[in-house]
């Protein structure tokens, strides 16, 4: 059983390195998008993720039509991340879907989804924490 955990960790680490150190720096959006889709991200054909974004667990991320994720953003899919249609995620935004409970004796780990609904603008350097919902038409 411990070997399965080690193999799983190795696969997650390999995907992390491939996507965030190689794929994120490919200048062609179409090639980057192909890799994200191969690794399970649900991304609408008119959506776009700019270069140098960090993506964690892409198979738990969905991005809707005409949505843009600008450069240097952090997309954490561990707890599930949904970005609706016509959303603009500005540069250096961090979206977290997992954290630790600072009040627990063992600093327990938990994850919870983030939902960003349609027609939302997230300003530069924003941080969206786990278990959040950004409602339609919000800035």
């Amino acid at each position: 059983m411990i070997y399965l955990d080690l193999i799983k960790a190795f696969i997650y680490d390999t995907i992390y390195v491939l996507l965030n150190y190689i794929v994120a720096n490919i200048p062609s959006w179409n090639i980057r998008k192909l890799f994200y889709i191969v690794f399970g991200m649900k991304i609408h054909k008119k959506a776009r993720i700019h270069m140098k974004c960090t993506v964690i667990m892409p198979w738990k991320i969905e991005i809707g039509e005409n949505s843009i994720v600008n450069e240097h953003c952090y997309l954490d899919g561990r707890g599930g991340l949904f970005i609706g249609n016509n959303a603009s995620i500005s540069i250096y935004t961090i979206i977290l879907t997992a954290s630790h409970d600072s009040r627990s004796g063992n600093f327990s780990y938990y994850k919870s989804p983030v939902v960003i609904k349609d027609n939302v603008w997230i300003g530069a350097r924003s941080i969206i924490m786990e278990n959040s919902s950004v409602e339609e038409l919000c800035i």
Side-chain angles (χ1 to χ4, degrees):
M1 197 64 169
I2 199 162
Y3 292 114
L4 287 176
D5 291 338
L6 288 173
I7 291 169
K8 188 176 177 181
F10 176 77
I11 291 169
Y12 284 161
D13 290 347
T14 302
I15 291 169
Y16 178 89
V17 169
L18 176 66
L19 288 180
N20 299 307
Y21 291 93
I22 298 170
V23 173
N25 293 297
I26 296 172
S28 169
W29 161 239
N30 291 319
I31 295 171
R32 283 196 317 277
K33 182 178 182 177
L34 175 65
F35 276 98
Y36 293 135
I37 290 171
V38 164
F39 285 102
M41 187 183 289
K42 295 174 188 78
I43 184 165
H44 192 276
K45 65 181 178 180
K46 292 184 180 178
R48 191 168 265 222
I49 299 175
H50 287 215
M51 290 176 60
K52 302 185 187 309
C53 288
T54 300
V55 176
I56 310 298
M57 293 192 178
W59 53 91
K60 294 185 176 185
I61 298 173
E62 184 174 343
I63 302 176
E65 183 176 3
N66 295 321
S67 290
I68 301 289
V69 178
N70 284 284
E71 290 184 346
H72 298 284
C73 289
Y74 186 95
L75 304 178
D76 175 5
R78 293 174 294 175
L81 172 57
F82 175 81
I83 299 172
N85 301 321
N86 304 304
S88 178
I89 312 297
S90 297
I91 192 167
Y92 289 104
T93 293
I94 299 170
I95 303 173
L96 298 172
T97 64
S99 190
H100 294 275
D101 184 356
S102 62
R103 290 172 276 161
S104 76
N106 62 352
F107 203 52
S108 61
Y109 170 80
Y110 67 94
K111 46 192 174 177
S112 185
V114 168
V115 176
I116 298 171
K117 297 188 178 175
D118 296 345
N119 305 301
V120 168
W121 174 26
I122 306 293
R125 296 193 182 273
S126 294
I127 299 175
I128 311 294
M129 301 296 287
E130 70 284 339
N131 200 31
S132 294
S133 180
V134 181
E135 296 302 314
E136 194 168 343
L137 299 171
C138 278
I139 297 176

